[in-house]
């Protein structure tokens, strides 16, 4: 897949950080040993009574703390730094399709315009429109969210064209038109300024229309109110004039029945996996929380620099990008920026078997979630096995979903919008998973969208391999963080 002989990515041990970490570890280990030695010799000099008990308890506590500290040091020993070179990827025709999953749950807690900014920034990723599909899961089943998604899609078309034409890096309109965006006055070109002004007005009117709709939005689809049972609703959002230059946008509100557990975000992701399998069926999936916009438009291409690297690809499940947060207090005394995780711990994990999945901002291989084993049994092999009852046990009864395991991804122009939505509606029903292992069985590779919550597992039985990796670029930015 490399355009020439140059590598698509590089990685090396972050030597300055490794040296500092190792010095700290050695110093800490020496001091801990001295404390333990002092405690052990103090204990030996006690004969009986309370002093003996208290010295013993202190020694036990310090041994426990020392043991817990030791367990964490492996993460600091070998921090790895990586770089990707998306400009070395071959032509656009060779890029694999990508599905973006955005989850939202409640239009009151999660401001609709924020969700729309996430959608727009995903639809405007620097990736061929035909190979990009965005799915919005709305667990609130909100008429407002659906209305806003339609409006946002209409705005996203000229916005995407503007960003691509003038090389605008900040693809999230709210960030661009506010102080957050850095490339606002990237050009003083008259035409640029004129288009920018026009888009600004369009964006203002989008916000206004969403605000107006909010007033009348207290009902959900049909006549059901919040918290009541409702059927699934799937809609391929399209503009009056069919936009070939726009990615596919699909609104998914899964079925809810109060007596059947819906498993929160993990349940939503499971539904999106199934729904997208009968639509775009892309081999790679980007997962985003609703308040997290794509900060770096090249993130998909960067992820492909790893996923398409022949030596790495068979054992690679996901590429994790670090998160960054807005609206955090300047002093950040509670470490809400999670700098320790993304700048240090994850880098160290990358030097072992890969970082831990952060729940958002990662490009994961669809087969990895389905349960393919690294390097050998592919999902197609599993799907073509004769044991149909085993396949149905894993994937449920939908023949279309099972067929999708063997099919190639569907490019946007090939998707039969009206026919696929009826099957997708069944796949979004809350009883679909019942009596199957879907979402229940721990994945042999590393990830499961567990029925209860999003869990991340590394199977200890597997040989050492690069499961996932961390990129340094801040590909996603979150507007806010609760708490
Ligand atoms: O029933 C639900 C509940 C939540 N969500 C969505 O899940 C995402 C994360 O939920 P949130 O309540 O915002 O959790 P946070 O603690 O902010 O999220 C962190 O922690 C979660 C796991 O606990 C991870 O899944 C997230 O990626 C990670 O950012 C949001 O987009 C929600 O809209 C749903 O789609 N359905
Ligand atoms: Mn959140």
């Amino acid at each position: 897949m490399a355009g020439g002989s140059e590598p698509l990515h590089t990685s090396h041990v972050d030597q300055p950080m490794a040296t500092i970490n190792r010095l700290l570890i050695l110093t800490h280990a020496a001091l801990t040993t001295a404390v333990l030695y002092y405690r052990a010799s103090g204990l030996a000099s006690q004969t009986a009574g309370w002093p003996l008990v208290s010295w013993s308890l202190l020694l036990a506590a310090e041994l426990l703390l020392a043991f817990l500290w030791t367990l964490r040091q492996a993460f600091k020993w070998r921090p790895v730094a990586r770089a990707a070179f998306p400009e070395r990827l071959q032509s656009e025709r060779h890029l694999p399709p990508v599905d973006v999953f955005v989850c939202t749950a409640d239009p009151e807690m999660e401001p609709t315009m924020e969700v729309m900014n996430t959608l727009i920034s995903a639809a405007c990723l620097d990736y061929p429109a035909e190979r990009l599909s965005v799915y919005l899961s709305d667990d609130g089943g909100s008429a407002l969210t659906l209305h806003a998604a339609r409006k946002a899609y209409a705005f996203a078309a000229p916005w995407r064209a503007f960003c691509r034409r003038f090389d605008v890096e900040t693809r999230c309109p709210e960030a661009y038109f506010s102080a957050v965006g850095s490339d606002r006055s990237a050009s003083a070109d008259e035409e640029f300024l004129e288009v920018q002004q026009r888009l600004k007005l369009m964006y203002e009117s989008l916000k206004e229309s969403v605000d107006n709709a909010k007033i009348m939005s207290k009902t959900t689809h049909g006549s059901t109110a919040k918290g009541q049972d409702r059927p699934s609703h799937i809609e391929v959002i399209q503009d009056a004039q069919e936009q070939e230059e726009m990615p596919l946008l699909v609104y998914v509100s899964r079925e809810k029945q109060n007596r059947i557990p819906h498993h929160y975000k993990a349940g939503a992701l499971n539904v999106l996996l199934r729904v997208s399998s009968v639509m775009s069926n892309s081999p790679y999936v980007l997962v985003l929380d609703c308040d997290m916009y794509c900060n770096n438009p090249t993130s998909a291409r960067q992820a492909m620099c790893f996923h398409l690297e022949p030596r790495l690809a068979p054992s690679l499940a996901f590429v994790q990008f670090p998160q960054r947060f807005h609206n955090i207090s300047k002093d950040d005394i509670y470490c809400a920026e999670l700098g320790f995780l993304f700048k240090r711990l994850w880098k160290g994990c990358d030097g072992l078997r890969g970082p831990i999945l952060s729940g958002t901002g990662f490009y994961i291989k669809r087969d990895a979630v389905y349960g393919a084993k690294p390097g050998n049994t592919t999902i197609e092999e599993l799907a073509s096995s004769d044991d149909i009852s085993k396949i149905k046990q894993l994937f449920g009864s939908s023949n279309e979903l099972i067929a999708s395991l063997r099919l190639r991804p569907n490019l946007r122009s090939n998707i039969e919008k009206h026919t696929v939505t009826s099957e997708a509606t069944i796949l979004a029903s809350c009883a679909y998973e019942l009596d199957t292992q879907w979402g229940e069985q721990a994945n042999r590779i590393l990830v499961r969208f567990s029925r209860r919550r999003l869990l991340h597992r590394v199977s200890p039985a597997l040989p050492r391999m690069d499961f996932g990796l961390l990129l340094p670029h801040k590909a996603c930015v979150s507007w806010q963080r609760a708490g």
Side-chain angles (χ1 to χ4, degrees), residues 60-278:
E62 280 159 4
L63 278 172
L64 182 64
L65 283 177
F67 174 67
L68 293 177
W69 174 83
T70 311
L71 293 182
R72 289 200 305 269
Q73 299 322 299
F75 298 116
K76 298 178 191 156
W77 197 256
R78 195 171 169 272
V80 165
R82 297 187 184 267
F85 305 99
E87 64 284 357
R88 294 180 188 167
L89 285 166
Q90 263 183 12
S91 66
E92 308 230 315
R93 272 186 311 119
H94 291 96
L95 288 173
V98 171
D99 288 343
V100 185
F101 292 174
V102 179
C103 295
T104 184
D106 186 338
E108 276 158 38
M109 307 269 287
E110 301 167 334
T112 307
M113 269 321 288
E114 224 169 61
V115 184
M116 293 309 122
N117 269 280
T118 304
L119 272 195
I120 295 167
S121 71
C124 296
L125 278 171
D126 187 11
Y127 212 72
E130 221 197 19
R131 286 155 200 276
L132 188 64
S133 306
V134 184
Y135 293 83
L136 172 64
S137 159
D138 178 16
D139 272 354
S142 150
L144 168 66
T145 308
L146 176 57
H147 166 83
R150 291 186 189 126
K151 296 274 175 196
Y153 187 75
F155 169 79
W159 174 247
R160 181 177 157 98
F162 165 73
C163 292
R164 286 171 76 84
R165 181 169 164 209
F166 294 104
D167 225 0
V168 170
E169 211 183 304
T170 309
R171 306 273 160 117
C172 162
E174 184 63 37
Y176 183 81
F177 291 121
S178 71
V180 179
S182 53
D183 50 0
R184 191 174 168 187
S185 52
S187 163
D189 180 71
E190 220 169 85
E191 199 182 349
F192 167 84
L193 294 173
E194 191 192 308
V195 186
Q196 178 184 257
Q197 186 55 26
R198 188 153 32 91
L199 280 159
K200 190 169 183 212
L201 293 177
M202 283 173 78
Y203 181 62
E204 293 302 328
S205 95
L206 167 66
K207 285 210 280 196
E208 208 178 293
S209 135
V210 171
D211 278 347
N212 291 341
K214 204 180 271 177
I215 300 161
M216 315 179 304
S217 72
K218 301 296 170 195
T219 54
T220 49
H221 305 298
S223 56
T224 48
K226 193 176 172 180
Q228 285 188 353
D229 291 356
R230 59 167 182 271
S232 37
H233 179 94
I234 298 184
E235 187 171 319
V236 176
I237 309 248
Q238 42 199 336
D239 220 1
Q241 326 97 345
E242 184 61 11
Q243 304 276 356
E244 274 311 321
E245 278 309 301
M246 274 298 283
L248 183 75
L249 176 58
V250 183
Y251 170 88
V252 179
S253 163
R254 59 185 164 135
E255 186 193 7
K256 283 276 177 79
Q257 284 189 27
N258 282 328
R259 62 187 177 86
I260 301 181
H262 61 86
H263 307 299
Y264 307 99
K265 178 181 169 185
L269 288 178
N270 279 318
V271 165
L272 289 185
L273 265 180
R274 294 200 293 267
V275 166
S276 62
S277 75
V278 295

Side-chain angles (χ1 to χ4, degrees), residues 6-23:
E6 290 179 303
L8 289 174
H9 63 91
T10 56
S11 66
H12 64 271
V13 175
D14 185 338
Q15 213 51 60
M17 190 186 272
T19 311
I20 294 171
N21 285 354
R22 289 173 194 185
L23 280 174

